[in-house]
Amino acid sequence: GYIKELRGTKDLERKLAKVLGVEVHIVPQGPNYNQSKCELGRFSAEFLTELVGPKDIIAVTGGTTLATVAKMMTPLKKKLDVNVVPGRGGLGEQVEIQANTIAAKIANKLGGEYHLLHIPDNLKADTISQLVIEPSIKHILDLAKSADILVHGVGTAQVMAKRRKMSTSKIKKLEEKGAVGESFGYYFNQAGQIVYSTASVGLKLSDLVKIKKVIAIAGGEYKAEAILAAVSDKYQDVLITDEEAANKILNLV
Ligand code: BG6
């Protein structure tokens, strides 16, 4: 509303929406990075709460941003009976920021069930093909594929590769391929092309077209290039970001 017009964030939203081709929401810059992140989480939690309907299936990724969203979400008095599933298994995150943990938290706040994918990262291709036909796992993967809403984070290729304990030689290869952004295991170059993907069970980028609302949440100036690489009308419908990232992205284009 008024504050956004005053600060010019409404104008920023319009400009960025034009660049990326998706609906954009920008939270105003906070006094420091941590407070901006909390505000991003709070706004996103509210946005998601308003969007979900009874019995919706929500798929989520991991990450510190999504963990903040789950934390900032206010428990609903009138429970919604949703199903919350991790978008992809494993990905080598610590338990606090794993998609599983975030799915459980969000389901508890909105009311409903969560489903967990206990699958390690970087499995051999034939192990993966065996796992995905296991009935209990297939059930969860089917739920994720039929999600009404997908909420995911975006990271820089550098940070995500390190967090996932990629070897130095693999990180070097990623750099050579020009990877700048990452989103649920996919690494993108500046042109938005996929240059590498983590072997993991779960949603594929090609599954995203069938999901009604795909929402990317990422902020911070350092993520500008990553957001520009990973977010477009090809995959997402909505981007929720902050003023710092938005300004930087517009400087890059
Ligand atoms: C991962 C998600 O868990 O978190 C990725 O699978 C995302 O999609 C990443 O890029 C973002 O992490 P953070 O901590 O920057 O929110």
Side-chain angles (χ1 to χ4, degrees):
Y2 176 68
I3 298 283
K4 283 199 166 184
E5 287 295 350
L6 209 67
R7 289 187 64 108
T9 21
K10 270 263 167 333
D11 194 40
L12 261 187
E13 284 174 348
R14 279 189 288 264
K15 282 187 189 145
L16 196 54
K18 225 175 174 187
V19 170
L20 301 174
V22 302
E23 178 184 323
V24 174
H25 296 275
I26 297 173
V27 298
Q29 181 157 4
N32 55 52
Y33 175 69
N34 269 342
Q35 263 170 275
S36 282
K37 198 160 186 173
C38 273
E39 183 51 23
L40 183 67
R42 196 198 55 77
F43 177 88
S44 306
E46 238 171 54
F47 185 88
L48 186 62
T49 307
E50 264 167 46
L51 183 74
V52 286
K55 307 229 180 281
D56 272 353
I57 301 169
I58 307 162
V60 297
T61 66
T64 57
T65 311
L66 265 292
T68 312
V69 176
K71 185 179 154 205
M72 300 304 272
M73 196 172 266
T74 314
L76 286 183
K77 288 201 191 77
K78 194 170 172 284
K79 300 298 180 203
L80 278 178
D81 196 17
V82 292
N83 278 288
V84 192
V85 289
R88 284 189 92 177
L91 293 185
E93 306 278 31
Q94 292 195 301
V95 73
E96 293 80 5
I97 61 165
Q98 253 177 34
N100 278 330
T101 312
I102 290 159
K105 264 204 180 150
I106 292 182
N108 287 335
K109 293 214 173 159
L110 296 176
E113 269 183 66
Y114 59 81
H115 308 265
L116 306 178
L117 269 175
H118 292 294
I119 296 169
D121 215 9
N122 295 319
L123 296 169
K124 286 197 297 273
D126 48 318
T127 313
I128 291 183
S129 51
Q130 285 294 309
L131 275 174
V132 294
I133 53 173
E134 258 313 304
S136 64
I137 293 171
K138 189 178 179 297
H139 170 67
I140 300 166
L141 295 176
D142 287 345
L143 271 177
K145 278 190 188 141
S146 58
D148 300 285
I149 302 168
L150 165 69
V151 194
H152 72 85
V154 176
T156 69
Q158 277 280 342
V159 169
M160 292 312 296
K162 282 210 188 101
R163 197 196 277 173
R164 290 180 181 144
K165 312 224 164 30
M166 238 184 232
S167 67
T168 341
S169 63
K170 241 183 165 181
I171 294 183
K172 219 180 141 220
K173 265 195 203 133
L174 260 187
E175 275 167 12
E176 280 163 12
K177 287 182 178 166
V180 289
E182 185 278 350
S183 194
F184 53 109
Y186 289 91
Y187 290 80
F188 300 85
N189 67 13
Q190 199 63 88
Q193 292 156 330
I194 300 157
V195 293
Y196 178 78
S197 81
T198 313
S200 173
V201 172
L203 287 176
K204 297 192 175 52
L205 269 182
S206 53
D207 294 321
L208 266 51
V209 286
K210 281 169 268 156
I211 302 178
K212 263 180 280 161
K213 277 270 177 203
V214 178
I215 306 166
I217 307 174
E221 197 180 50
Y222 80 102
K223 281 194 184 177
E225 268 147 345
I227 296 169
L228 193 56
V231 177
S232 76
D233 56 1
K234 204 167 151 196
Y235 305 117
Q236 289 84 4
D237 302 288
V238 181
L239 167 71
I240 306 177
T241 188
D242 59 18
E243 232 179 319
E244 295 93 314
N247 279 319
K248 183 72 192 284
I249 297 171
L250 291 173
N251 278 337
L252 290 172
V253 294

PDB file of all heavy atoms in Angstrom, residues 95-130:
ATOM      1  N   VAL A  95      19.758 -31.015   9.245  1.00  0.00           N
ATOM      2  CA  VAL A  95      18.363 -31.320   9.557  1.00  0.00           C
ATOM      3  C   VAL A  95      17.496 -30.075   9.797  1.00  0.00           C
ATOM      4  O   VAL A  95      16.340 -30.017   9.381  1.00  0.00           O
ATOM      5  CB  VAL A  95      18.270 -32.340  10.728  1.00  0.00           C
ATOM      6  CG1 VAL A  95      18.614 -31.707  12.058  1.00  0.00           C
ATOM      7  CG2 VAL A  95      16.885 -32.972  10.770  1.00  0.00           C
ATOM      8  N   GLU A  96      18.058 -29.032  10.406  1.00  0.00           N
ATOM      9  CA  GLU A  96      17.272 -27.821  10.713  1.00  0.00           C
ATOM     10  C   GLU A  96      16.750 -27.147   9.448  1.00  0.00           C
ATOM     11  O   GLU A  96      15.721 -26.473   9.487  1.00  0.00           O
ATOM     12  CB  GLU A  96      18.121 -26.796  11.476  1.00  0.00           C
ATOM     13  CG  GLU A  96      18.534 -27.199  12.866  1.00  0.00           C
ATOM     14  CD  GLU A  96      19.738 -28.138  12.864  1.00  0.00           C
ATOM     15  OE1 GLU A  96      20.312 -28.394  11.781  1.00  0.00           O
ATOM     16  OE2 GLU A  96      20.064 -28.626  13.955  1.00  0.00           O
ATOM     17  N   ILE A  97      17.482 -27.288   8.362  1.00  0.00           N
ATOM     18  CA  ILE A  97      17.070 -26.576   7.150  1.00  0.00           C
ATOM     19  C   ILE A  97      16.692 -27.542   6.028  1.00  0.00           C
ATOM     20  O   ILE A  97      16.632 -27.176   4.865  1.00  0.00           O
ATOM     21  CB  ILE A  97      18.155 -25.561   6.691  1.00  0.00           C
ATOM     22  CG1 ILE A  97      19.474 -26.271   6.363  1.00  0.00           C
ATOM     23  CG2 ILE A  97      18.366 -24.478   7.714  1.00  0.00           C
ATOM     24  CD1 ILE A  97      20.442 -25.396   5.570  1.00  0.00           C
ATOM     25  N   GLN A  98      16.429 -28.789   6.413  1.00  0.00           N
ATOM     26  CA  GLN A  98      16.006 -29.779   5.415  1.00  0.00           C
ATOM     27  C   GLN A  98      14.554 -29.561   4.997  1.00  0.00           C
ATOM     28  O   GLN A  98      13.731 -29.142   5.814  1.00  0.00           O
ATOM     29  CB  GLN A  98      16.095 -31.165   6.034  1.00  0.00           C
ATOM     30  CG  GLN A  98      17.244 -31.994   5.533  1.00  0.00           C
ATOM     31  CD  GLN A  98      17.302 -33.324   6.245  1.00  0.00           C
ATOM     32  OE1 GLN A  98      16.266 -33.889   6.598  1.00  0.00           O
ATOM     33  NE2 GLN A  98      18.503 -33.800   6.447  1.00  0.00           N
ATOM     34  N   ALA A  99      14.258 -29.908   3.765  1.00  0.00           N
ATOM     35  CA  ALA A  99      12.882 -29.814   3.272  1.00  0.00           C
ATOM     36  C   ALA A  99      11.923 -30.614   4.162  1.00  0.00           C
ATOM     37  O   ALA A  99      10.798 -30.173   4.423  1.00  0.00           O
ATOM     38  CB  ALA A  99      12.815 -30.304   1.833  1.00  0.00           C
ATOM     39  N   ASN A 100      12.362 -31.765   4.635  1.00  0.00           N
ATOM     40  CA  ASN A 100      11.529 -32.592   5.523  1.00  0.00           C
ATOM     41  C   ASN A 100      11.073 -31.812   6.752  1.00  0.00           C
ATOM     42  O   ASN A 100       9.897 -31.814   7.108  1.00  0.00           O
ATOM     43  CB  ASN A 100      12.350 -33.797   6.024  1.00  0.00           C
ATOM     44  CG  ASN A 100      12.381 -34.920   5.004  1.00  0.00           C
ATOM     45  OD1 ASN A 100      11.437 -35.097   4.230  1.00  0.00           O
ATOM     46  ND2 ASN A 100      13.453 -35.690   5.012  1.00  0.00           N
ATOM     47  N   THR A 101      12.036 -31.169   7.408  1.00  0.00           N
ATOM     48  CA  THR A 101      11.761 -30.421   8.640  1.00  0.00           C
ATOM     49  C   THR A 101      10.808 -29.262   8.357  1.00  0.00           C
ATOM     50  O   THR A 101       9.879 -28.998   9.122  1.00  0.00           O
ATOM     51  CB  THR A 101      13.090 -29.856   9.208  1.00  0.00           C
ATOM     52  OG1 THR A 101      14.045 -30.912   9.213  1.00  0.00           O
ATOM     53  CG2 THR A 101      12.911 -29.293  10.586  1.00  0.00           C
ATOM     54  N   ILE A 102      11.045 -28.595   7.241  1.00  0.00           N
ATOM     55  CA  ILE A 102      10.225 -27.439   6.881  1.00  0.00           C
ATOM     56  C   ILE A 102       8.802 -27.875   6.530  1.00  0.00           C
ATOM     57  O   ILE A 102       7.826 -27.248   6.936  1.00  0.00           O
ATOM     58  CB  ILE A 102      10.920 -26.659   5.734  1.00  0.00           C
ATOM     59  CG1 ILE A 102      12.169 -25.984   6.312  1.00  0.00           C
ATOM     60  CG2 ILE A 102       9.990 -25.623   5.104  1.00  0.00           C
ATOM     61  CD1 ILE A 102      13.204 -25.601   5.313  1.00  0.00           C
ATOM     62  N   ALA A 103       8.693 -28.996   5.820  1.00  0.00           N
ATOM     63  CA  ALA A 103       7.370 -29.537   5.480  1.00  0.00           C
ATOM     64  C   ALA A 103       6.582 -29.843   6.749  1.00  0.00           C
ATOM     65  O   ALA A 103       5.402 -29.495   6.862  1.00  0.00           O
ATOM     66  CB  ALA A 103       7.522 -30.796   4.630  1.00  0.00           C
ATOM     67  N   ALA A 104       7.248 -30.455   7.723  1.00  0.00           N
ATOM     68  CA  ALA A 104       6.577 -30.810   8.978  1.00  0.00           C
ATOM     69  C   ALA A 104       6.103 -29.564   9.714  1.00  0.00           C
ATOM     70  O   ALA A 104       4.969 -29.502  10.196  1.00  0.00           O
ATOM     71  CB  ALA A 104       7.524 -31.619   9.858  1.00  0.00           C
ATOM     72  N   LYS A 105       6.958 -28.558   9.771  1.00  0.00           N
ATOM     73  CA  LYS A 105       6.608 -27.317  10.478  1.00  0.00           C
ATOM     74  C   LYS A 105       5.413 -26.633   9.838  1.00  0.00           C
ATOM     75  O   LYS A 105       4.484 -26.195  10.518  1.00  0.00           O
ATOM     76  CB  LYS A 105       7.793 -26.352  10.456  1.00  0.00           C
ATOM     77  CG  LYS A 105       8.625 -26.428  11.702  1.00  0.00           C
ATOM     78  CD  LYS A 105       9.376 -25.132  11.923  1.00  0.00           C
ATOM     79  CE  LYS A 105      10.185 -25.281  13.206  1.00  0.00           C
ATOM     80  NZ  LYS A 105      11.400 -24.497  13.210  1.00  0.00           N
ATOM     81  N   ILE A 106       5.457 -26.531   8.516  1.00  0.00           N
ATOM     82  CA  ILE A 106       4.372 -25.827   7.810  1.00  0.00           C
ATOM     83  C   ILE A 106       3.061 -26.592   7.959  1.00  0.00           C
ATOM     84  O   ILE A 106       2.008 -25.997   8.185  1.00  0.00           O
ATOM     85  CB  ILE A 106       4.760 -25.581   6.331  1.00  0.00           C
ATOM     86  CG1 ILE A 106       5.918 -24.567   6.283  1.00  0.00           C
ATOM     87  CG2 ILE A 106       3.563 -25.085   5.515  1.00  0.00           C
ATOM     88  CD1 ILE A 106       6.389 -24.174   4.900  1.00  0.00           C
ATOM     89  N   ALA A 107       3.125 -27.919   7.869  1.00  0.00           N
ATOM     90  CA  ALA A 107       1.901 -28.724   8.028  1.00  0.00           C
ATOM     91  C   ALA A 107       1.312 -28.530   9.417  1.00  0.00           C
ATOM     92  O   ALA A 107       0.089 -28.404   9.571  1.00  0.00           O
ATOM     93  CB  ALA A 107       2.209 -30.196   7.783  1.00  0.00           C
ATOM     94  N   ASN A 108       2.170 -28.473  10.413  1.00  0.00           N
ATOM     95  CA  ASN A 108       1.675 -28.276  11.778  1.00  0.00           C
ATOM     96  C   ASN A 108       1.028 -26.912  11.956  1.00  0.00           C
ATOM     97  O   ASN A 108       0.069 -26.770  12.695  1.00  0.00           O
ATOM     98  CB  ASN A 108       2.809 -28.462  12.791  1.00  0.00           C
ATOM     99  CG  ASN A 108       3.181 -29.924  12.931  1.00  0.00           C
ATOM    100  OD1 ASN A 108       2.352 -30.811  12.670  1.00  0.00           O
ATOM    101  ND2 ASN A 108       4.410 -30.193  13.305  1.00  0.00           N
ATOM    102  N   LYS A 109       1.563 -25.910  11.271  1.00  0.00           N
ATOM    103  CA  LYS A 109       1.005 -24.560  11.439  1.00  0.00           C
ATOM    104  C   LYS A 109      -0.299 -24.374  10.671  1.00  0.00           C
ATOM    105  O   LYS A 109      -1.227 -23.739  11.148  1.00  0.00           O
ATOM    106  CB  LYS A 109       2.035 -23.528  11.009  1.00  0.00           C
ATOM    107  CG  LYS A 109       3.230 -23.555  11.982  1.00  0.00           C
ATOM    108  CD  LYS A 109       3.828 -22.231  12.192  1.00  0.00           C
ATOM    109  CE  LYS A 109       4.874 -22.330  13.289  1.00  0.00           C
ATOM    110  NZ  LYS A 109       5.838 -21.234  13.245  1.00  0.00           N
ATOM    111  N   LEU A 110      -0.364 -24.944   9.469  1.00  0.00           N
ATOM    112  CA  LEU A 110      -1.577 -24.766   8.661  1.00  0.00           C
ATOM    113  C   LEU A 110      -2.651 -25.786   9.037  1.00  0.00           C
ATOM    114  O   LEU A 110      -3.831 -25.572   8.811  1.00  0.00           O
ATOM    115  CB  LEU A 110      -1.254 -24.899   7.165  1.00  0.00           C
ATOM    116  CG  LEU A 110      -0.323 -23.853   6.554  1.00  0.00           C
ATOM    117  CD1 LEU A 110      -0.030 -24.200   5.103  1.00  0.00           C
ATOM    118  CD2 LEU A 110      -0.929 -22.451   6.641  1.00  0.00           C
ATOM    119  N   GLY A 111      -2.199 -26.896   9.578  1.00  0.00           N
ATOM    120  CA  GLY A 111      -3.113 -27.981   9.910  1.00  0.00           C
ATOM    121  C   GLY A 111      -3.150 -28.978   8.773  1.00  0.00           C
ATOM    122  O   GLY A 111      -3.490 -28.625   7.641  1.00  0.00           O
ATOM    123  N   GLY A 112      -2.762 -30.201   9.060  1.00  0.00           N
ATOM    124  CA  GLY A 112      -2.764 -31.211   8.013  1.00  0.00           C
ATOM    125  C   GLY A 112      -1.657 -32.211   8.230  1.00  0.00           C
ATOM    126  O   GLY A 112      -1.159 -32.372   9.348  1.00  0.00           O
ATOM    127  N   GLU A 113      -1.284 -32.859   7.148  1.00  0.00           N
ATOM    128  CA  GLU A 113      -0.290 -33.921   7.254  1.00  0.00           C
ATOM    129  C   GLU A 113       0.991 -33.541   6.547  1.00  0.00           C
ATOM    130  O   GLU A 113       0.966 -32.840   5.544  1.00  0.00           O
ATOM    131  CB  GLU A 113      -0.830 -35.166   6.549  1.00  0.00           C
ATOM    132  CG  GLU A 113      -1.608 -36.098   7.437  1.00  0.00           C
ATOM    133  CD  GLU A 113      -2.029 -37.322   6.642  1.00  0.00           C
ATOM    134  OE1 GLU A 113      -1.129 -38.091   6.232  1.00  0.00           O
ATOM    135  OE2 GLU A 113      -3.238 -37.475   6.412  1.00  0.00           O
ATOM    136  N   TYR A 114       2.098 -34.044   7.065  1.00  0.00           N
ATOM    137  CA  TYR A 114       3.348 -33.904   6.319  1.00  0.00           C
ATOM    138  C   TYR A 114       3.833 -35.286   5.927  1.00  0.00           C
ATOM    139  O   TYR A 114       3.465 -36.290   6.530  1.00  0.00           O
ATOM    140  CB  TYR A 114       4.399 -33.152   7.133  1.00  0.00           C
ATOM    141  CG  TYR A 114       4.756 -33.784   8.452  1.00  0.00           C
ATOM    142  CD1 TYR A 114       5.647 -34.840   8.541  1.00  0.00           C
ATOM    143  CD2 TYR A 114       4.199 -33.288   9.629  1.00  0.00           C
ATOM    144  CE1 TYR A 114       5.977 -35.403   9.761  1.00  0.00           C
ATOM    145  CE2 TYR A 114       4.524 -33.844  10.853  1.00  0.00           C
ATOM    146  CZ  TYR A 114       5.407 -34.904  10.919  1.00  0.00           C
ATOM    147  OH  TYR A 114       5.727 -35.462  12.117  1.00  0.00           O
ATOM    148  N   HIS A 115       4.615 -35.321   4.891  1.00  0.00           N
ATOM    149  CA  HIS A 115       5.168 -36.579   4.379  1.00  0.00           C
ATOM    150  C   HIS A 115       6.661 -36.383   4.231  1.00  0.00           C
ATOM    151  O   HIS A 115       7.101 -35.339   3.772  1.00  0.00           O
ATOM    152  CB  HIS A 115       4.529 -36.911   3.027  1.00  0.00           C
ATOM    153  CG  HIS A 115       3.045 -36.884   3.086  1.00  0.00           C
ATOM    154  ND1 HIS A 115       2.277 -37.994   3.290  1.00  0.00           N
ATOM    155  CD2 HIS A 115       2.174 -35.840   3.013  1.00  0.00           C
ATOM    156  CE1 HIS A 115       1.003 -37.651   3.328  1.00  0.00           C
ATOM    157  NE2 HIS A 115       0.909 -36.351   3.155  1.00  0.00           N
ATOM    158  N   LEU A 116       7.428 -37.389   4.615  1.00  0.00           N
ATOM    159  CA  LEU A 116       8.882 -37.214   4.593  1.00  0.00           C
ATOM    160  C   LEU A 116       9.541 -38.086   3.534  1.00  0.00           C
ATOM    161  O   LEU A 116       9.081 -39.174   3.221  1.00  0.00           O
ATOM    162  CB  LEU A 116       9.461 -37.545   5.971  1.00  0.00           C
ATOM    163  CG  LEU A 116       8.846 -36.797   7.146  1.00  0.00           C
ATOM    164  CD1 LEU A 116       9.467 -37.244   8.457  1.00  0.00           C
ATOM    165  CD2 LEU A 116       9.004 -35.288   6.985  1.00  0.00           C
ATOM    166  N   LEU A 117      10.597 -37.553   2.989  1.00  0.00           N
ATOM    167  CA  LEU A 117      11.422 -38.327   2.047  1.00  0.00           C
ATOM    168  C   LEU A 117      12.781 -38.547   2.697  1.00  0.00           C
ATOM    169  O   LEU A 117      13.595 -37.627   2.779  1.00  0.00           O
ATOM    170  CB  LEU A 117      11.624 -37.540   0.748  1.00  0.00           C
ATOM    171  CG  LEU A 117      10.646 -37.721  -0.405  1.00  0.00           C
ATOM    172  CD1 LEU A 117      11.000 -36.750  -1.524  1.00  0.00           C
ATOM    173  CD2 LEU A 117      10.632 -39.139  -0.937  1.00  0.00           C
ATOM    174  N   HIS A 118      13.018 -39.745   3.189  1.00  0.00           N
ATOM    175  CA  HIS A 118      14.301 -40.023   3.833  1.00  0.00           C
ATOM    176  C   HIS A 118      15.249 -40.618   2.817  1.00  0.00           C
ATOM    177  O   HIS A 118      15.471 -41.821   2.778  1.00  0.00           O
ATOM    178  CB  HIS A 118      14.120 -40.994   4.990  1.00  0.00           C
ATOM    179  CG  HIS A 118      13.361 -40.397   6.121  1.00  0.00           C
ATOM    180  ND1 HIS A 118      13.850 -39.356   6.874  1.00  0.00           N
ATOM    181  CD2 HIS A 118      12.144 -40.658   6.625  1.00  0.00           C
ATOM    182  CE1 HIS A 118      12.975 -39.028   7.796  1.00  0.00           C
ATOM    183  NE2 HIS A 118      11.922 -39.799   7.664  1.00  0.00           N
ATOM    184  N   ILE A 119      15.765 -39.755   1.972  1.00  0.00           N
ATOM    185  CA  ILE A 119      16.616 -40.263   0.908  1.00  0.00           C
ATOM    186  C   ILE A 119      17.918 -39.491   0.851  1.00  0.00           C
ATOM    187  O   ILE A 119      17.918 -38.270   0.784  1.00  0.00           O
ATOM    188  CB  ILE A 119      15.886 -40.173  -0.453  1.00  0.00           C
ATOM    189  CG1 ILE A 119      14.669 -41.095  -0.403  1.00  0.00           C
ATOM    190  CG2 ILE A 119      16.811 -40.559  -1.596  1.00  0.00           C
ATOM    191  CD1 ILE A 119      13.735 -40.915  -1.524  1.00  0.00           C
ATOM    192  N   PRO A 120      19.027 -40.212   0.899  1.00  0.00           N
ATOM    193  CA  PRO A 120      20.306 -39.500   0.842  1.00  0.00           C
ATOM    194  C   PRO A 120      20.576 -38.921  -0.539  1.00  0.00           C
ATOM    195  O   PRO A 120      19.899 -39.242  -1.516  1.00  0.00           O
ATOM    196  CB  PRO A 120      21.323 -40.571   1.198  1.00  0.00           C
ATOM    197  CG  PRO A 120      20.660 -41.872   0.964  1.00  0.00           C
ATOM    198  CD  PRO A 120      19.190 -41.656   1.040  1.00  0.00           C
ATOM    199  N   ASP A 121      21.578 -38.082  -0.563  1.00  0.00           N
ATOM    200  CA  ASP A 121      21.956 -37.375  -1.772  1.00  0.00           C
ATOM    201  C   ASP A 121      22.916 -38.195  -2.623  1.00  0.00           C
ATOM    202  O   ASP A 121      23.508 -39.145  -2.138  1.00  0.00           O
ATOM    203  CB  ASP A 121      22.693 -36.119  -1.296  1.00  0.00           C
ATOM    204  CG  ASP A 121      22.407 -34.967  -2.196  1.00  0.00           C
ATOM    205  OD1 ASP A 121      21.526 -35.108  -3.044  1.00  0.00           O
ATOM    206  OD2 ASP A 121      23.050 -33.941  -2.016  1.00  0.00           O
ATOM    207  N   ASN A 122      23.058 -37.779  -3.864  1.00  0.00           N
ATOM    208  CA  ASN A 122      24.098 -38.326  -4.738  1.00  0.00           C
ATOM    209  C   ASN A 122      24.157 -39.858  -4.772  1.00  0.00           C
ATOM    210  O   ASN A 122      25.198 -40.473  -4.586  1.00  0.00           O
ATOM    211  CB  ASN A 122      25.474 -37.780  -4.338  1.00  0.00           C
ATOM    212  CG  ASN A 122      25.538 -36.290  -4.573  1.00  0.00           C
ATOM    213  OD1 ASN A 122      25.043 -35.798  -5.589  1.00  0.00           O
ATOM    214  ND2 ASN A 122      26.098 -35.560  -3.646  1.00  0.00           N
ATOM    215  N   LEU A 123      23.016 -40.467  -4.972  1.00  0.00           N
ATOM    216  CA  LEU A 123      22.967 -41.921  -5.109  1.00  0.00           C
ATOM    217  C   LEU A 123      23.300 -42.297  -6.539  1.00  0.00           C
ATOM    218  O   LEU A 123      23.211 -41.476  -7.443  1.00  0.00           O
ATOM    219  CB  LEU A 123      21.564 -42.421  -4.760  1.00  0.00           C
ATOM    220  CG  LEU A 123      21.098 -42.194  -3.329  1.00  0.00           C
ATOM    221  CD1 LEU A 123      19.610 -42.502  -3.210  1.00  0.00           C
ATOM    222  CD2 LEU A 123      21.888 -43.059  -2.371  1.00  0.00           C
ATOM    223  N   LYS A 124      23.654 -43.567  -6.721  1.00  0.00           N
ATOM    224  CA  LYS A 124      23.906 -44.043  -8.079  1.00  0.00           C
ATOM    225  C   LYS A 124      22.588 -44.085  -8.853  1.00  0.00           C
ATOM    226  O   LYS A 124      21.521 -44.305  -8.271  1.00  0.00           O
ATOM    227  CB  LYS A 124      24.507 -45.454  -8.033  1.00  0.00           C
ATOM    228  CG  LYS A 124      25.972 -45.434  -7.591  1.00  0.00           C
ATOM    229  CD  LYS A 124      26.675 -46.730  -7.926  1.00  0.00           C
ATOM    230  CE  LYS A 124      26.128 -47.914  -7.234  1.00  0.00           C
ATOM    231  NZ  LYS A 124      26.395 -48.446  -6.033  1.00  0.00           N
ATOM    232  N   ALA A 125      22.685 -43.888 -10.139  1.00  0.00           N
ATOM    233  CA  ALA A 125      21.477 -43.820 -10.972  1.00  0.00           C
ATOM    234  C   ALA A 125      20.590 -45.056 -10.820  1.00  0.00           C
ATOM    235  O   ALA A 125      19.357 -44.944 -10.732  1.00  0.00           O
ATOM    236  CB  ALA A 125      21.858 -43.622 -12.428  1.00  0.00           C
ATOM    237  N   ASP A 126      21.201 -46.247 -10.747  1.00  0.00           N
ATOM    238  CA  ASP A 126      20.345 -47.438 -10.647  1.00  0.00           C
ATOM    239  C   ASP A 126      19.729 -47.589  -9.252  1.00  0.00           C
ATOM    240  O   ASP A 126      18.658 -48.171  -9.106  1.00  0.00           O
ATOM    241  CB  ASP A 126      21.061 -48.713 -11.110  1.00  0.00           C
ATOM    242  CG  ASP A 126      22.444 -48.881 -10.525  1.00  0.00           C
ATOM    243  OD1 ASP A 126      23.164 -47.869 -10.459  1.00  0.00           O
ATOM    244  OD2 ASP A 126      22.780 -50.006 -10.130  1.00  0.00           O
ATOM    245  N   THR A 127      20.393 -47.044  -8.231  1.00  0.00           N
ATOM    246  CA  THR A 127      19.782 -47.054  -6.892  1.00  0.00           C
ATOM    247  C   THR A 127      18.547 -46.164  -6.915  1.00  0.00           C
ATOM    248  O   THR A 127      17.483 -46.516  -6.389  1.00  0.00           O
ATOM    249  CB  THR A 127      20.771 -46.519  -5.830  1.00  0.00           C
ATOM    250  OG1 THR A 127      22.031 -47.139  -6.027  1.00  0.00           O
ATOM    251  CG2 THR A 127      20.273 -46.778  -4.430  1.00  0.00           C
ATOM    252  N   ILE A 128      18.684 -44.998  -7.546  1.00  0.00           N
ATOM    253  CA  ILE A 128      17.564 -44.060  -7.637  1.00  0.00           C
ATOM    254  C   ILE A 128      16.387 -44.690  -8.374  1.00  0.00           C
ATOM    255  O   ILE A 128      15.240 -44.628  -7.906  1.00  0.00           O
ATOM    256  CB  ILE A 128      18.009 -42.743  -8.325  1.00  0.00           C
ATOM    257  CG1 ILE A 128      18.961 -41.988  -7.383  1.00  0.00           C
ATOM    258  CG2 ILE A 128      16.804 -41.872  -8.678  1.00  0.00           C
ATOM    259  CD1 ILE A 128      19.424 -40.657  -7.874  1.00  0.00           C
ATOM    260  N   SER A 129      16.685 -45.355  -9.483  1.00  0.00           N
ATOM    261  CA  SER A 129      15.574 -45.926 -10.244  1.00  0.00           C
ATOM    262  C   SER A 129      14.869 -47.055  -9.470  1.00  0.00           C
ATOM    263  O   SER A 129      13.688 -47.316  -9.686  1.00  0.00           O
ATOM    264  CB  SER A 129      16.034 -46.389 -11.628  1.00  0.00           C
ATOM    265  OG  SER A 129      17.158 -47.206 -11.516  1.00  0.00           O
ATOM    266  N   GLN A 130      15.617 -47.695  -8.549  1.00  0.00           N
ATOM    267  CA  GLN A 130      14.997 -48.701  -7.679  1.00  0.00           C
ATOM    268  C   GLN A 130      14.122 -48.031  -6.620  1.00  0.00           C
ATOM    269  O   GLN A 130      13.002 -48.467  -6.348  1.00  0.00           O
ATOM    270  CB  GLN A 130      16.091 -49.517  -6.957  1.00  0.00           C
ATOM    271  CG  GLN A 130      16.803 -50.521  -7.836  1.00  0.00           C
ATOM    272  CD  GLN A 130      15.869 -51.626  -8.291  1.00  0.00           C
ATOM    273  OE1 GLN A 130      15.184 -52.226  -7.479  1.00  0.00           O
ATOM    274  NE2 GLN A 130      15.829 -51.859  -9.585  1.00  0.00           N
TER     275      GLN A 130
END
